[in-house]
Amino acid sequence: MNTPKRYLITSALPYANGPKHIGHLAGAYLPADIYVRYLRAQKKDVVYVCGSDEHGAAITIQAMKENSTPLAIVDKYHAMLKSNMADLGISFDIYHRTSSPIHHETAQEFFTALNDKGELEKKETEQYYDEDAKTFLADRYIIGTCPVCANENAYGDQCEKCGTSLSPEQLLNPRSTLSGNAPVKKATTHWYLPLNKHEDFLRKWILEDHAADWKANVVGQCKGWIEAGLQPRAVTRDLDWGVAVPGAPGKVLYVWFDAPIGYISATKQWALDNDKDWRPYWEDKDTKLVHFIGKDNIVFHCIIFPVMLKLHGNILPDNVPSNEFMNLEGDKMSTSRGWSIEMDDYINDFVKKENGGDMMVDALRYYLTAIAPETKDSEFTWKGFQDALNSELVAVFGNFVNRTFVLMHKLCKGKVPPLHVELLDNTDKQLLEEIQLTKIKIQNSIESYKFRDGLSEVIDLARKGNKYMQEKEPWIVAKQTGEDGQPTAAAQQKIDNCLHICLQLTANLAIYINPFLPFTAKKMIYMMKVVDKMLDWDNAGKSKLLSTGYSLRAPELLFRKLEDAEITAQIEKLKTKSSTLKKATSMETTTDTNNQSTNQPVKKSTIEFDDFAKIDLKVGTITAAEKVEKADKLLKLEVDLGFEKRIIVSGIALHFEPAAIIGKQVVVVANLAPRKMRGIESNGMILMAEDASGKLKFVSPGEAVDNGSAVS
Ligand SMILES: [Zn+2]
């Protein structure tokens, strides 16, 4: 695109059903914030919008779980997310919410416009209905056994254990989370967005026009979706929480449809608040629209929302620099499993507890950017965080700035010394040149969304500063003294040149680090006694930012080290949190033996003796056991039930070595309908007990009995 007249930057709307973790921060918020701060330093016309996504069945489910109302839930988490983001320096121009009236109006207008143009299709379908609760069931309200990994608490839209996208029809033994009963099929009418009609447009727009400038992982995922063939997608659903569908009582817009429109309504609210016109940001082709998201959002921002925008007459995104996922200490980050570092927890542990917590905000921003999952999944470890902070921020960047200030106070009376141009040698000139070159390198990196590279250029420049100082050794030069005990004139000139250059470099480092670590830049501005305007990108690369003779403040600590005890405490905290959650989960869900991934409440209703009597429990002996290929949790077992031998697939592979359980007597649900797992038919289920730490034990008779003995 030609030079844009204005920029509209969005970060994925976080879902207001709970706290969000630092993987989210690294994926969609921090990179956008760096980009926006860079554009602002360039004096561009830029608006950065975001807000809480407050609709959808997961909110109503969270409300049930907390014995609360949807509104109370979104109020609570909206406030938390808004303040977390502000504490971490994410500089939205507006952090809005989709429960606001202006959003409801905007989303309804959008739906009506598309419907009036004939771009939506109305269809009657059969959907799951809970006869006890007298309501249609959103996908999330239906749970059942995952056909891929046999997790018994997979949701109707996704199995959180193995990550497979599902439809409720694919679940084995579906049941309603409202009543616990099996749902029935009932007819209902909905509007659909016929994505299949827009395949040609998407193919050209993404796979041709943006093949080169979008990230390979984004184009690759889109290609997969398009090649698989796009289907009409329901725009509406039967639910009572959301944006009401005009003229269709009892129906709301599907949350995937209303949420991205939240970017538009947020822009409208921002314009109202600031006396601006929102339209050019969404309608003028000279606007550069960039969506920052995580990879789970690619289909919505690259396929579905662009189709909606095109049909509605809006501009399309120029880029969607999606990140991959950030793992944590060897496992996938997950709030529901307790394996995560919530933004809120980090803020409480590191930012609010101590004076100067801002430096720990920048420390986190530093590490998350340095290991950003820009092209592939990456991993956060507390040890890695400690190393990055101690050996890069403290030892390289902080050390350079601190040394420069200390020596300037000691050897130059606290003032910017003069530069003796005639004495500049090659080492001096090289460093001055590096200061300029770094500007171009950082620009290129940020403008191509390679924030890791940009940040490492800043650290490299500080490293060059340290090397330069080490070569020049002004503290040694200062020992060449005259009769008065002061450095000789020649020595002082050398000292002057070295520290003059180091101070100009420090000023440049402040400009360069500002988009990444804004609190550090601010502190440096204060130490140099200059105005914020010095951070304008125009000033980057200049070697005369600080005037000769200007007196500067004493150095301040920019970063502190992270101690071993702190990281040990955090790792302990992580382990405790995940095992406590697991315990709570297993108490809620009872029968499932491999339920680490969900904290879905399943209330089982009272049953009659006859119901219990339907279960045929038999004692058997495991006679063979082997791992199931490509399923790290499954074991294929052969169990001797006396009257016959059975093949049973069980999700216990993480707990037992196959060889160690052969000969074990177990209790089997012998009349469970057969089901296929990974292509193997499983005939029955082995009963397991799970202790508080998630360890599994076989349920078996206290003493050996004949195989085939009944359990009752
Ligand atoms: Zn699964």
Side-chain angles (χ1 to χ4, degrees):
M1 111 185 286
N2 301 327
T3 309
K5 269 196 191 146
R6 63 192 77 72
Y7 292 78
L8 178 62
I9 311 302
T10 73
S11 282
L13 306 186
Y15 200 51
N17 69 333
K20 294 293 164 254
H21 58 61
I22 59 167
H24 298 122
L25 182 65
Y29 307 97
L30 192 46
D33 187 64
I34 294 167
Y35 190 66
V36 163
R37 286 178 184 271
Y38 165 76
L39 293 174
R40 289 193 191 121
Q42 289 194 322
K43 302 291 159 206
K44 302 284 190 195
D45 178 351
V46 51
V47 179
Y48 179 21
V49 304
C50 191
S52 303
D53 174 2
E54 304 187 326
H55 295 138
I59 300 279
T60 53
I61 287 174
Q62 187 66 25
M64 287 200 304
K65 212 184 280 183
E66 296 192 17
N67 207 3
S68 179
T69 64
L71 187 61
I73 292 291
V74 298
D75 280 350
K76 172 174 156 187
Y77 292 113
H78 171 75
M80 174 192 271
L81 294 171
K82 186 175 181 178
S83 106
N84 285 171
M85 297 284 190
D87 285 341
L88 296 171
I90 305 301
S91 58
F92 302 124
D93 288 298
I94 181 166
Y95 187 76
H96 201 232
R97 49 195 310 190
T98 61
S99 60
S100 67
I102 196 172
H103 174 72
H104 281 237
E105 280 163 31
T106 306
Q108 286 174 333
E109 179 276 326
F110 207 105
F111 170 85
T112 305
L114 263 51
N115 199 29
D116 289 353
K117 284 184 186 176
E119 301 289 2
L120 302 177
E121 292 169 355
K122 210 171 167 182
K123 275 195 281 191
E124 193 185 273
T125 56
E126 299 246 288
Q127 274 179 20
Y128 277 127
Y129 183 85
D130 185 322
E131 290 185 307
D132 284 351
K134 301 214 181 339
T135 179
F136 282 100
L137 295 167
D139 296 352
R140 279 256 147 183
Y141 279 92
I142 304 167
I143 53 176
T145 303
C146 169
V148 177
C149 76
N151 165 25
E152 294 180 11
N153 287 324
Y155 292 110
D157 57 350
Q158 193 188 31
C159 171
E160 295 204 333
K161 191 154 197 181
C162 68
T164 308
S165 273
L166 299 168
S167 69
E169 286 72 22
Q170 289 173 282
L171 291 176
L172 307 167
N173 310 319
R175 55 196 193 275
S176 162
T177 60
L178 297 176
S179 66
N181 296 337
V184 298
K185 286 286 183 84
K186 203 172 160 176
T188 180
T189 304
H190 285 293
W191 283 263
Y192 287 75
L193 180 64
L195 289 170
N196 47 311
K197 287 188 182 167
H198 304 284
E199 272 183 23
D200 289 344
F201 151 70
L202 290 167
R203 202 178 289 276
K204 179 173 185 308
W205 179 61
I206 302 173
L207 305 184
E208 292 175 27
D209 302 352
H210 284 299
D213 67 326
W214 284 16
K215 287 187 184 187
N217 54 330
V218 175
V219 175
Q221 220 192 89
C222 293
K223 189 162 187 260
W225 283 91
I226 296 169
E227 312 260 278
L230 298 170
Q231 303 297 324
R233 206 178 161 102
V235 168
T236 58
R237 67 197 314 200
D238 300 291
L239 197 71
D240 55 6
W241 176 248
V243 176
V245 176
K251 295 189 194 297
V252 297
L253 295 178
Y254 224 121
V255 68
W256 66 259
F257 186 86
D258 100 68
I261 298 171
Y263 299 137
I264 302 176
S265 51
T267 314
K268 282 185 178 175
Q269 187 61 51
W270 165 83
L272 274 175
D273 297 344
N274 292 278
D275 203 16
K276 304 262 187 177
D277 183 7
W278 67 273
R279 289 186 180 277
Y281 290 90
W282 284 99
E283 293 174 2
D284 185 347
K285 295 250 179 294
D286 290 330
T287 299
K288 181 166 173 169
L289 170 62
V290 183
H291 295 308
F292 285 86
I293 57 167
K295 70 173 162 189
D296 49 340
N297 253 321
I298 290 176
V299 67
F300 297 104
H301 289 77
C302 298
I303 300 218
I304 301 173
F305 192 42
V307 167
M308 291 164 58
L309 288 171
K310 184 179 80 106
L311 294 175
H312 192 255
N314 295 110
I315 57 162
L316 299 176
D318 182 74
N319 210 321
V320 186
S322 162
N323 274 315
E324 301 287 294
F325 288 152
M326 185 176 278
N327 297 319
L328 170 65
E329 300 283 355
D331 201 353
K332 206 181 151 198
M333 229 185 286
S334 155
T335 298
S336 61
R337 285 192 299 121
W339 198 258
S340 59
I341 303 163
E342 310 307 343
M343 296 192 284
D344 201 51
D345 286 344
Y346 182 88
I347 290 165
N348 285 325
D349 289 356
F350 290 101
V351 181
K352 290 200 170 148
K353 258 194 182 163
E354 53 182 295
N355 287 333
D358 286 351
M359 67 175 74
M360 289 309 288
V361 172
D362 275 359
L364 182 65
R365 291 176 64 114
Y366 178 78
Y367 183 52
L368 293 183
T369 305
I371 61 159
E374 288 176 356
T375 52
K376 55 180 193 299
D377 288 357
S378 67
E379 184 171 13
F380 182 107
T381 65
W382 282 102
K383 185 79 186 91
F385 183 28
Q386 183 188 37
D387 285 346
L389 176 50
N390 296 2
S391 68
E392 289 163 18
L393 274 188
V394 174
V396 178
F397 193 100
N399 181 42
F400 173 75
V401 173
N402 187 57
R403 262 167 125 188
T404 299
F405 267 74
V406 167
L407 288 169
M408 180 267 304
H409 276 281
K410 198 168 161 194
L411 305 175
C412 306
K413 305 185 175 71
K415 292 189 167 117
V416 180
L419 184 71
H420 311 281
V421 180
E422 68 286 0
L423 297 177
L424 288 177
D425 63 16
N426 276 340
T427 317
D428 302 321
K429 286 176 188 162
Q430 237 173 27
L431 186 60
L432 288 168
E433 203 174 306
E434 285 293 345
I435 295 175
Q436 277 183 301
L437 285 177
T438 301
K439 177 180 185 178
I440 310 297
K441 291 185 199 164
I442 296 176
Q443 271 177 206
N444 289 343
S445 300
I446 294 184
E447 285 171 20
S448 52
Y449 312 105
K450 292 174 180 162
F451 304 106
R452 277 175 93 136
D453 289 354
L455 181 58
S456 89
E457 293 296 343
V458 186
I459 299 300
D460 274 355
L461 185 59
R463 198 173 273 125
K464 281 168 188 154
N466 276 324
K467 186 162 166 270
Y468 170 82
M469 183 98 81
Q470 210 57 43
E471 269 177 55
K472 293 285 177 180
E473 296 181 308
W475 56 93
I476 303 283
V477 177
K479 288 177 183 162
Q480 299 165 14
T481 48
E483 285 172 4
D484 57 356
Q486 295 299 312
T488 62
Q492 188 61 47
Q493 286 183 334
K494 283 186 187 169
I495 295 168
D496 288 350
N497 271 15
C498 170
L499 287 168
H500 183 96
I501 291 173
C502 285
L503 283 166
Q504 304 300 349
L505 172 53
T506 301
N508 274 281
L509 284 173
I511 300 170
Y512 292 144
I513 204 75
N514 181 42
F516 302 94
L517 312 185
F519 295 102
T520 304
K522 212 171 171 91
K523 207 175 276 179
M524 291 169 75
I525 286 285
Y526 175 81
M527 284 158 58
M528 293 185 285
K529 280 208 312 205
V530 290
V531 291
D532 288 357
K533 211 176 147 29
M534 198 212 74
L535 296 175
D536 288 357
W537 198 257
D538 257 2
N539 289 328
K542 289 184 182 166
S543 55
K544 287 181 181 145
L545 294 174
L546 299 173
S547 322
T548 300
Y550 194 61
S551 66
L552 309 183
R553 291 198 168 91
E556 289 196 7
L557 192 64
L558 292 182
F559 308 104
R560 71 162 179 89
K561 285 191 170 179
L562 196 58
E563 304 298 337
D564 287 345
E566 292 176 279
I567 65 170
T568 314
Q570 286 297 327
I571 292 170
E572 276 310 306
K573 181 175 174 175
L574 182 63
K575 287 181 178 163
T576 312
K577 191 172 67 159
S578 70
S579 73
T580 313
L581 250 171
K582 208 151 56 168
K583 189 170 157 188
T585 304
S586 61
M587 283 165 66
E588 275 177 357
T589 50
T590 60
T591 60
D592 188 11
T593 54
N594 45 16
N595 57 4
Q596 292 96 325
S597 69
T598 164
N599 47 10
Q600 180 64 41
V602 182
K603 290 205 186 95
K604 295 199 167 179
S605 41
T606 308
I607 59 168
E608 297 302 323
F609 178 79
D610 285 352
D611 292 326
F612 169 71
K614 286 178 191 162
I615 305 173
D616 182 14
L617 296 172
K618 290 272 191 302
V619 176
T621 299
I622 298 174
T623 48
E626 62 181 65
K627 294 202 165 168
V628 174
E629 228 176 289
K630 289 184 198 148
D632 35 330
K633 299 197 172 79
L634 298 183
L635 285 186
K636 179 182 166 189
L637 308 172
E638 185 190 67
V639 182
D640 185 351
L641 288 178
F643 53 96
E644 66 180 31
K645 284 192 176 175
R646 291 275 186 98
I647 297 297
I648 297 178
V649 179
S650 183
I652 57 173
L654 297 180
H655 300 265
F656 301 98
E657 277 304 312
I661 58 174
I662 293 172
K664 185 93 198 139
Q665 270 206 325
V666 295
V667 176
V668 173
V669 181
N671 62 340
L672 194 65
R675 54 181 177 171
K676 270 205 171 166
M677 283 184 250
R678 294 272 160 178
I680 306 166
E681 191 177 90
S682 179
N683 292 281
M685 189 177 95
I686 294 180
L687 294 189
M688 306 297 299
E690 181 175 8
D691 74 7
S693 70
K695 272 222 167 91
L696 296 182
K697 298 271 157 54
F698 288 102
V699 174
S700 42
E703 290 166 42
V705 296
D706 289 343
N707 288 334
S709 299
V711 179
S712 57

